[in-house]
Amino acid sequence: SYGFRLLSLQSLCEDPVNISFIFFGALQLANGTTTCSGRVELLHGGLWGSLCDYLWDFPAANAVCQQLDCGVALLIPSGQSFGKGNGLFWNGTFVCEKNGSHLRDCRVSVLGHTDCPTGKDARVVCSGARLVNGTTCSGRVEIRHGDKWGRLCGSHWNLQAASVLCNQLNCGYAKFIQTGHHFVDGNGPVWRDAFHCEGTESCLWDCAHVTLGNPSCSVREAATVVCSGLAESLRLSGGESRCDGRVEISLNGMWGRVLDDDWDIKDADVVCRQLQCGTAKKAYYPSRSERGMGLVGLRSVQCAGNETQLMFCKTSYSETVCRSRPFPLCGLSITGVLPSRRIRLMNGTNRCAGRVELYHDGIWGTICDDAWDLSDANVVCKQLGCGHAIKAFASAHYGEGSGQIWLDDMNCTGAESDLWACSSRGWGQHNCRHKEDAGVLCSEFLALRLVNGNDCAGRLEVFYNGTWGSICSNRMSQLTAITVCRHLKCGDGGEIARDFQYGRGSGPTWLDHIECTEQHSSLWQCQSDPWHPQSCDNQAEETHISCTAAFVECPNSTSCTDKEKLRVTGGEDGCSGRVEIWHQGSWGTVCDDSWDMADANVVCRQLGCGSAVSALSEAAFGKGTGPIWLEKVHCKGTELSLWDCPAQLLSDKNCDHKEDAAFITQIWGGGSRQSYDPVSEAVYEEINYSLMREKQQVTGLSGLCILFLSGENNRGYFLLVTQIPVQNFLASKPTG
């Protein structure tokens, strides 16, 4: 028997084969993020092996996706995506016609099994989404879960998500989604997934995706869309929204660049109008590093400005052949337009809480907290699809932003659809600083934890609608428990504890009947009953989970001190280097945002190394590995431990290892460490800390160390050690 699938581990085979055949077998995709992505493996003689195909291309990949009923091919990933497999390779080639739709149209020659050169094993990501009951580019939206297709509920469906799907299916952009009962006939499941897209994602699965707790949906409420269509489609790539970015045009099913030395606002206006993006705010040229290679669709565009489509302008076609990347991801454009506004929440660990930021005139900026209240915050939450506002925060609760402060003195009624429709001082008009940046917590903000045990064992609780509550265990499987453990970064194994050793909860019981599959990497993607504060019949149904890769409290023992959960690496003497902390069972680094001498001093004393000479940033002792656990550490300098300092758990994408914090310490006692005495050190702090900070500000340098040499009864002399020139050297002795 012969067949195909996408897997990573299969049996080994010792005997080479030398046959040719036409393939009519089955396909299976696995080891990807969905059931419709993975590495292609060929079945021969009852054994599976990776397909090594020197000519693997989009037509062949598309044939695989369609045969698997997985939609169309989106991407042929490079590198080691989906694992290395088991070492067994079948060398072969799909020879597909460009328009072939079935594997029976492709001839496969199996030549033997040898090591396959890197990058030649066949891999594919299929769409896992489709439009049915309409045309190629319009109809009812269906997505695939496991091996089953179902329609998508329309309750959370919006134009941004619809445009991502249209682009994903190579159908341009979404023209409209309100189609009445058109396209919705038929039977089958209705999935309750909610995709929260920004509009720039390459496919729906890249969007924030929440299913847990969503209400049920009838077949008449299915999501639908009418896309602009394939022929002569335009799109904007690489920008901050669907209406911002580099211009690409699809001609004869191939996406190509637009080249124009005379690109101006008239040309950009036509693009914006065709994409239903209003009028152009700006026409610009991306930097050389952002310019693409490959197929060129149009040259020398000359628009009068009143045309309805770019193709109606005076243009020149290009005969350039695309060689760098295969259809449909073939090159980037050189021209662009910039007409849109956007809103986001930053620094709050997920999309429904954080500092309010607006994108306007091509720049992200913040909102001043003057007159900021729940009515204003409600507009933000509603605009982002995050429910209603639980709290409106002031005074940079989620950290200070940077750059422009766009709006001040907001006065929303709560009925506005966009924050910029509210009354305010006007764009860019304010009397604020970033310490007054506004924030918001919305009802759809979700968080997960295990309590009454440790980070990886305890009673399962979810934060929803501003309150922590329990989760019921009815119909919960071990696979769901494993999904919880993965979600909490507590390993790949877990089980439901039946002895209620982690106590009973006292708050709401938010969820019941949670069912996860192997494809779910996050608990938020699993199916469940809708949110309800009394989901359990009684507290005995609460879920207790123990993860098999249990949380390790200490690096070396079952109990340890704060000092043992802190280390320095990359230096020579153990008192200088990159700061690393132990958290959730692994070592990680600290982001250098706000890292200063006060923070470094706390670390130095905690390690028994004296006082800091310098607080270093930008990975001065090399980049670390693993998690980045903390950012925006704000020590006063008098704390006994780094854990006593205010700090934030790192938000996604706020920092990377090139920003790892470090320090250099002046060691007490001629180079040897001494044990830390918090009583005697308190005297040192009282006498010297304000002086140290004052001198540091005067010199403008961080490399300053103050040593208390001698004295009694709070009197003594100080030696200031610094690397500044002698003429700038400062010395002082106490008075009184």
Side-chain angles (χ1 to χ4, degrees), residues 51-115:
L51 175 65
C52 187
D53 189 345
Y54 284 77
L55 300 179
W56 182 250
D57 58 11
F58 264 91
N62 211 44
V64 168
C65 291
Q66 292 186 25
Q67 182 71 15
L68 286 170
D69 198 20
C70 275
V72 298
L74 293 180
L75 178 67
I76 296 177
S78 58
Q80 292 297 326
S81 304
F82 313 124
K84 298 180 179 180
N86 60 3
L88 175 62
F89 288 97
W90 301 119
N91 288 342
T93 300
F94 272 113
V95 183
C96 291
E97 296 297 327
K98 180 177 180 181
N99 296 322
S101 60
H102 297 284
L103 289 179
R104 62 177 60 93
D105 301 318
C106 309
R107 185 174 69 254
V108 182
S109 299
V110 180
L111 306 176
H113 70 286
T114 60
D115 289 339

Side-chain angles (χ1 to χ4, degrees), residues 169-352:
L169 298 176
N170 199 28
C171 283
Y173 61 92
K175 296 179 69 174
F176 51 89
I177 60 175
Q178 303 298 332
T179 58
H181 295 310
H182 196 38
F183 307 135
V184 299
D185 291 337
N187 299 311
V190 181
W191 305 125
R192 293 178 287 176
D193 303 67
F195 294 95
H196 300 283
C197 303
E198 296 180 355
T200 58
E201 296 87 353
S202 60
C203 70
L204 281 178
W205 312 110
D206 294 333
C207 302
H209 175 200
V210 177
T211 304
L212 195 77
N214 288 344
S216 56
C217 201
S218 74
V219 294
R220 310 301 293 180
E221 297 175 276
T224 61
V225 64
V226 175
C227 304
S228 60
L230 179 61
E232 298 179 359
S233 291
L234 280 184
R235 68 184 180 189
L236 301 178
S237 298
E240 293 285 350
S241 76
R242 185 183 73 81
C243 295
D244 167 19
R246 299 177 294 268
V247 182
E248 297 178 346
I249 188 167
S250 175
L251 301 172
N252 300 317
M254 300 287 287
W255 287 103
R257 300 179 289 156
V258 177
L259 305 185
D260 190 354
D261 293 336
D262 298 318
W263 184 255
D264 59 22
I265 197 70
K266 292 181 180 179
D267 309 321
D269 261 333
V270 174
V271 172
C272 291
R273 189 179 303 114
Q274 184 174 345
L275 292 175
Q276 297 184 354
C277 287
T279 58
K281 296 277 290 186
K282 184 180 179 182
Y284 65 94
Y285 292 88
S287 63
R288 182 175 298 275
S289 63
E290 295 175 323
R291 300 179 187 179
M293 301 292 291
L295 181 68
V296 176
L298 292 179
R299 296 178 183 271
S300 304
V301 179
Q302 296 180 0
C303 301
N306 57 1
E307 295 88 348
T308 58
Q309 294 185 36
L310 192 65
M311 289 301 297
F312 294 164
C313 303
K314 294 181 180 179
T315 60
S316 297
Y317 288 89
S318 174
E319 301 300 327
T320 305
V321 177
C322 174
R323 299 182 184 278
S324 63
R325 298 177 72 180
F327 169 86
L329 303 174
C330 187
L332 300 174
S333 71
I334 291 185
T335 50
V337 293
L338 182 66
S340 60
R341 292 173 182 163
R342 289 179 57 211
I343 188 170
R344 68 184 181 187
L345 298 178
M346 296 295 293
N347 231 28
T349 71
N350 77 26
R351 56 178 297 275
C352 290

Side-chain angles (χ1 to χ4, degrees), residues 376-668:
D376 310 319
N378 260 320
V379 174
V380 173
C381 293
K382 180 174 63 176
Q383 187 174 350
L384 290 170
C386 286
H388 61 273
I390 297 295
K391 190 170 182 60
F393 289 105
S395 303
H397 177 83
Y398 289 103
E400 296 182 13
S402 60
Q404 182 68 50
I405 298 176
W406 275 127
L407 295 176
D408 190 10
D409 290 334
M410 303 300 301
N411 186 19
C412 302
T413 67
E416 296 87 352
S417 58
D418 304 299
L419 188 65
W420 42 84
C422 300
S423 173
S424 70
R425 284 191 176 208
W427 289 100
Q429 304 300 312
H430 67 89
N431 59 355
C432 302
R433 297 168 61 186
H434 281 296
K435 66 180 181 180
E436 302 168 79
D437 285 342
V440 63
L441 172 67
C442 302
S443 60
E444 297 297 315
F445 174 82
L446 301 175
L448 195 68
R449 70 182 183 184
L450 294 169
V451 297
N452 279 7
N454 57 50
D455 283 5
C456 292
R459 187 178 68 253
L460 183 61
E461 290 192 344
V462 62
F463 186 86
Y464 173 73
N465 203 24
T467 306
W468 285 101
S470 298
I471 291 178
C472 314
S473 59
N474 295 305
R475 290 215 306 257
M476 185 175 289
S477 66
Q478 184 180 11
L479 182 56
T480 300
I482 291 172
T483 304
V484 169
C485 293
R486 289 173 178 167
H487 184 119
L488 293 172
K489 297 181 173 60
C490 288
D492 293 326
E495 59 184 17
I496 301 171
R498 302 295 181 184
D499 55 3
F500 303 104
Q501 67 185 88
Y502 302 111
R504 302 291 173 86
S506 59
T509 54
W510 278 126
L511 287 170
D512 199 6
H513 298 139
I514 300 177
E515 298 181 70
C516 300
T517 70
E518 293 180 354
Q519 280 68 48
H520 293 141
S521 59
S522 163
L523 189 71
W524 313 138
Q525 299 170 7
C526 302
Q527 301 282 333
S528 75
D529 289 348
W531 297 104
H532 192 279
Q534 295 178 332
S535 292
C536 299
D537 292 332
N538 56 71
Q539 301 297 118
E541 296 177 2
E542 291 176 328
T543 304
H544 295 232
I545 286 180
S546 176
C547 300
T548 53
F551 172 72
V552 181
E553 187 70 33
C554 301
N556 300 314
S557 61
T558 56
S559 62
C560 60
T561 65
D562 284 352
K563 180 178 178 180
E564 291 173 307
K565 291 188 285 185
L566 181 71
R567 72 181 184 186
V568 57
T569 59
E572 296 181 355
D573 55 13
C575 286
S576 62
R578 182 176 62 252
V579 180
E580 295 191 352
I581 62 176
W582 180 267
H583 180 61
Q584 288 192 354
S586 64
W587 288 103
T589 61
V590 177
C591 182
D592 64 10
D593 292 353
S594 303
W595 183 256
D596 60 16
M597 284 289 289
D599 309 320
N601 262 309
V602 173
V603 171
C604 286
R605 292 197 313 276
Q606 186 175 338
L607 292 173
C609 288
S611 295
V613 172
S614 184
L616 303 176
S617 58
E618 297 181 351
F621 283 90
K623 298 179 182 180
T625 58
I628 302 175
W629 285 126
L630 293 178
E631 67 170 341
K632 298 188 184 301
V633 179
H634 288 290
C635 300
K636 295 178 181 179
T638 59
E639 293 88 351
L640 303 183
S641 167
L642 188 65
W643 320 118
D644 298 330
C645 301
Q648 296 179 14
L649 288 175
L650 183 67
S651 302
D652 290 344
K653 301 181 181 178
N654 277 9
C655 210
D656 58 36
H657 283 296
K658 68 181 180 182
E659 301 170 81
D660 284 343
F663 68 95
I664 298 175
T665 298
Q666 173 67 42
I667 305 175
W668 280 323

Side-chain angles (χ1 to χ4, degrees), residues 653-707:
K653 301 181 181 178
N654 277 9
C655 210
D656 58 36
H657 283 296
K658 68 181 180 182
E659 301 170 81
D660 284 343
F663 68 95
I664 298 175
T665 298
Q666 173 67 42
I667 305 175
W668 280 323
S672 62
R673 297 194 191 198
Q674 295 183 2
S675 60
Y676 172 51
D677 180 358
V679 177
S680 62
E681 183 60 13
V683 176
Y684 171 86
E685 286 295 331
E686 180 182 351
I687 298 174
N688 301 312
Y689 183 71
S690 60
L691 174 64
M692 181 182 71
R693 298 291 285 183
E694 178 182 348
K695 301 310 180 186
Q696 188 177 339
Q697 292 170 2
V698 171
T699 63
L701 297 174
S702 60
L704 179 65
C705 177
I706 303 175
L707 299 181

